PDB file of all heavy atoms in Angstrom:
ATOM      1  N   GLN A  29      25.598  26.471 162.747  1.00 94.00           N
ATOM      2  CA  GLN A  29      24.762  25.370 163.272  1.00 94.00           C
ATOM      3  C   GLN A  29      23.673  25.913 164.182  1.00 94.00           C
ATOM      4  O   GLN A  29      22.521  25.490 164.109  1.00 94.00           O
ATOM      5  CB  GLN A  29      25.609  24.352 164.037  1.00 94.00           C
ATOM      6  CG  GLN A  29      26.350  23.404 163.139  1.00 94.00           C
ATOM      7  CD  GLN A  29      27.090  22.348 163.941  1.00 94.00           C
ATOM      8  OE1 GLN A  29      27.821  22.652 164.876  1.00 94.00           O
ATOM      9  NE2 GLN A  29      26.900  21.105 163.548  1.00 94.00           N
ATOM     10  N   THR A  30      24.014  26.848 165.057  1.00 93.00           N
ATOM     11  CA  THR A  30      23.048  27.453 165.974  1.00 93.00           C
ATOM     12  C   THR A  30      22.026  28.273 165.193  1.00 93.00           C
ATOM     13  O   THR A  30      20.823  28.186 165.448  1.00 93.00           O
ATOM     14  CB  THR A  30      23.775  28.348 166.997  1.00 93.00           C
ATOM     15  OG1 THR A  30      24.756  27.566 167.667  1.00 93.00           O
ATOM     16  CG2 THR A  30      22.807  28.938 168.011  1.00 93.00           C
ATOM     17  N   ALA A  31      22.498  29.065 164.235  1.00 94.00           N
ATOM     18  CA  ALA A  31      21.600  29.902 163.430  1.00 94.00           C
ATOM     19  C   ALA A  31      20.616  29.042 162.633  1.00 94.00           C
ATOM     20  O   ALA A  31      19.437  29.384 162.514  1.00 94.00           O
ATOM     21  CB  ALA A  31      22.412  30.792 162.499  1.00 94.00           C
ATOM     22  N   ILE A  32      21.076  27.925 162.112  1.00 95.00           N
ATOM     23  CA  ILE A  32      20.204  27.035 161.337  1.00 95.00           C
ATOM     24  C   ILE A  32      19.156  26.388 162.244  1.00 95.00           C
ATOM     25  O   ILE A  32      17.986  26.283 161.869  1.00 95.00           O
ATOM     26  CB  ILE A  32      21.032  25.992 160.562  1.00 95.00           C
ATOM     27  CG1 ILE A  32      21.765  26.692 159.413  1.00 95.00           C
ATOM     28  CG2 ILE A  32      20.158  24.854 160.046  1.00 95.00           C
ATOM     29  CD1 ILE A  32      22.837  25.869 158.750  1.00 95.00           C
ATOM     30  N   LYS A  33      19.555  25.969 163.444  1.00 94.00           N
ATOM     31  CA  LYS A  33      18.573  25.406 164.382  1.00 94.00           C
ATOM     32  C   LYS A  33      17.468  26.410 164.679  1.00 94.00           C
ATOM     33  O   LYS A  33      16.290  26.060 164.711  1.00 94.00           O
ATOM     34  CB  LYS A  33      19.258  24.978 165.682  1.00 94.00           C
ATOM     35  CG  LYS A  33      20.019  23.687 165.570  1.00 94.00           C
ATOM     36  CD  LYS A  33      20.696  23.330 166.880  1.00 94.00           C
ATOM     37  CE  LYS A  33      21.638  22.164 166.679  1.00 94.00           C
ATOM     38  NZ  LYS A  33      22.511  21.942 167.830  1.00 94.00           N
ATOM     39  N   LEU A  34      17.849  27.671 164.902  1.00 92.00           N
ATOM     40  CA  LEU A  34      16.858  28.719 165.145  1.00 92.00           C
ATOM     41  C   LEU A  34      15.988  28.957 163.907  1.00 92.00           C
ATOM     42  O   LEU A  34      14.778  29.143 164.014  1.00 92.00           O
ATOM     43  CB  LEU A  34      17.543  30.015 165.566  1.00 92.00           C
ATOM     44  CG  LEU A  34      18.197  30.002 166.935  1.00 92.00           C
ATOM     45  CD1 LEU A  34      19.051  31.249 167.135  1.00 92.00           C
ATOM     46  CD2 LEU A  34      17.156  29.882 168.034  1.00 92.00           C
ATOM     47  N   ALA A  35      16.595  28.959 162.753  1.00 93.00           N
ATOM     48  CA  ALA A  35      15.868  29.202 161.504  1.00 93.00           C
ATOM     49  C   ALA A  35      14.827  28.120 161.234  1.00 93.00           C
ATOM     50  O   ALA A  35      13.760  28.406 160.687  1.00 93.00           O
ATOM     51  CB  ALA A  35      16.842  29.309 160.341  1.00 93.00           C
ATOM     52  N   LYS A  36      15.127  26.898 161.605  1.00 92.00           N
ATOM     53  CA  LYS A  36      14.193  25.798 161.371  1.00 92.00           C
ATOM     54  C   LYS A  36      12.897  25.964 162.169  1.00 92.00           C
ATOM     55  O   LYS A  36      11.881  25.382 161.814  1.00 92.00           O
ATOM     56  CB  LYS A  36      14.840  24.457 161.719  1.00 92.00           C
ATOM     57  CG  LYS A  36      15.859  24.013 160.689  1.00 92.00           C
ATOM     58  CD  LYS A  36      16.473  22.685 161.072  1.00 92.00           C
ATOM     59  CE  LYS A  36      17.469  22.224 160.046  1.00 92.00           C
ATOM     60  NZ  LYS A  36      18.089  20.945 160.407  1.00 92.00           N
ATOM     61  N   LYS A  37      12.936  26.794 163.199  1.00 92.00           N
ATOM     62  CA  LYS A  37      11.751  27.031 164.022  1.00 92.00           C
ATOM     63  C   LYS A  37      10.884  28.151 163.457  1.00 92.00           C
ATOM     64  O   LYS A  37       9.843  28.462 164.015  1.00 92.00           O
ATOM     65  CB  LYS A  37      12.168  27.392 165.456  1.00 92.00           C
ATOM     66  CG  LYS A  37      12.902  26.283 166.161  1.00 92.00           C
ATOM     67  CD  LYS A  37      13.352  26.733 167.539  1.00 92.00           C
ATOM     68  CE  LYS A  37      14.186  25.652 168.207  1.00 92.00           C
ATOM     69  NZ  LYS A  37      14.708  26.098 169.494  1.00 92.00           N
ATOM     70  N   SER A  38      11.323  28.763 162.363  1.00 91.00           N
ATOM     71  CA  SER A  38      10.633  29.929 161.809  1.00 91.00           C
ATOM     72  C   SER A  38      10.437  29.772 160.305  1.00 91.00           C
ATOM     73  O   SER A  38      11.348  29.385 159.598  1.00 91.00           O
ATOM     74  CB  SER A  38      11.458  31.193 162.085  1.00 91.00           C
ATOM     75  OG  SER A  38      10.969  32.268 161.350  1.00 91.00           O
ATOM     76  N   LYS A  39       9.264  30.123 159.843  1.00 93.00           N
ATOM     77  CA  LYS A  39       9.006  30.116 158.399  1.00 93.00           C
ATOM     78  C   LYS A  39       9.548  31.387 157.738  1.00 93.00           C
ATOM     79  O   LYS A  39       9.531  31.517 156.520  1.00 93.00           O
ATOM     80  CB  LYS A  39       7.514  29.978 158.125  1.00 93.00           C
ATOM     81  CG  LYS A  39       6.682  31.131 158.632  1.00 93.00           C
ATOM     82  CD  LYS A  39       5.237  30.970 158.279  1.00 93.00           C
ATOM     83  CE  LYS A  39       4.330  32.053 158.794  1.00 93.00           C
ATOM     84  NZ  LYS A  39       4.828  33.381 158.919  1.00 93.00           N
ATOM     85  N   ASP A  40      10.038  32.327 158.560  1.00 95.00           N
ATOM     86  CA  ASP A  40      10.503  33.624 158.064  1.00 95.00           C
ATOM     87  C   ASP A  40      12.017  33.747 158.013  1.00 95.00           C
ATOM     88  O   ASP A  40      12.531  34.844 157.797  1.00 95.00           O
ATOM     89  CB  ASP A  40       9.959  34.741 158.967  1.00 95.00           C
ATOM     90  CG  ASP A  40       8.446  34.754 159.012  1.00 95.00           C
ATOM     91  OD1 ASP A  40       7.826  34.608 157.946  1.00 95.00           O
ATOM     92  OD2 ASP A  40       7.895  34.911 160.113  1.00 95.00           O
ATOM     93  N   SER A  41      12.744  32.662 158.244  1.00 95.00           N
ATOM     94  CA  SER A  41      14.197  32.714 158.349  1.00 95.00           C
ATOM     95  C   SER A  41      14.827  31.806 157.296  1.00 95.00           C
ATOM     96  O   SER A  41      14.421  30.654 157.144  1.00 95.00           O
ATOM     97  CB  SER A  41      14.610  32.283 159.757  1.00 95.00           C
ATOM     98  OG  SER A  41      15.907  32.681 160.035  1.00 95.00           O
ATOM     99  N   PHE A  42      15.828  32.345 156.587  1.00 97.00           N
ATOM    100  CA  PHE A  42      16.414  31.646 155.450  1.00 97.00           C
ATOM    101  C   PHE A  42      17.937  31.645 155.542  1.00 97.00           C
ATOM    102  O   PHE A  42      18.584  32.638 155.187  1.00 97.00           O
ATOM    103  CB  PHE A  42      15.974  32.328 154.143  1.00 97.00           C
ATOM    104  CG  PHE A  42      14.490  32.543 154.065  1.00 97.00           C
ATOM    105  CD1 PHE A  42      13.931  33.747 154.468  1.00 97.00           C
ATOM    106  CD2 PHE A  42      13.651  31.527 153.620  1.00 97.00           C
ATOM    107  CE1 PHE A  42      12.560  33.950 154.411  1.00 97.00           C
ATOM    108  CE2 PHE A  42      12.283  31.723 153.564  1.00 97.00           C
ATOM    109  CZ  PHE A  42      11.728  32.931 153.964  1.00 97.00           C
ATOM    110  N   PRO A  43      18.544  30.549 156.013  1.00 97.00           N
ATOM    111  CA  PRO A  43      20.009  30.460 156.064  1.00 97.00           C
ATOM    112  C   PRO A  43      20.595  30.411 154.649  1.00 97.00           C
ATOM    113  O   PRO A  43      20.044  29.758 153.765  1.00 97.00           O
ATOM    114  CB  PRO A  43      20.274  29.147 156.795  1.00 97.00           C
ATOM    115  CG  PRO A  43      18.978  28.802 157.470  1.00 97.00           C
ATOM    116  CD  PRO A  43      17.907  29.389 156.611  1.00 97.00           C
ATOM    117  N   ASP A  59      16.056  37.219 157.189  1.00 96.00           N
ATOM    118  CA  ASP A  59      14.877  37.043 158.031  1.00 96.00           C
ATOM    119  C   ASP A  59      13.837  38.117 157.735  1.00 96.00           C
ATOM    120  O   ASP A  59      14.167  39.297 157.661  1.00 96.00           O
ATOM    121  CB  ASP A  59      15.305  37.113 159.505  1.00 96.00           C
ATOM    122  CG  ASP A  59      14.274  36.543 160.440  1.00 96.00           C
ATOM    123  OD1 ASP A  59      13.165  37.103 160.482  1.00 96.00           O
ATOM    124  OD2 ASP A  59      14.571  35.565 161.129  1.00 96.00           O
TER     125      ASP A  59
END
Side-chain angles (χ1 to χ4, degrees):
Q29 281 184 310
T30 304
I32 289 168
K33 283 179 190 169
L34 291 170
K36 286 180 179 179
K37 297 177 184 176
S38 168
K39 64 177 178 32
D40 301 317
S41 198
F42 310 94
D59 197 297

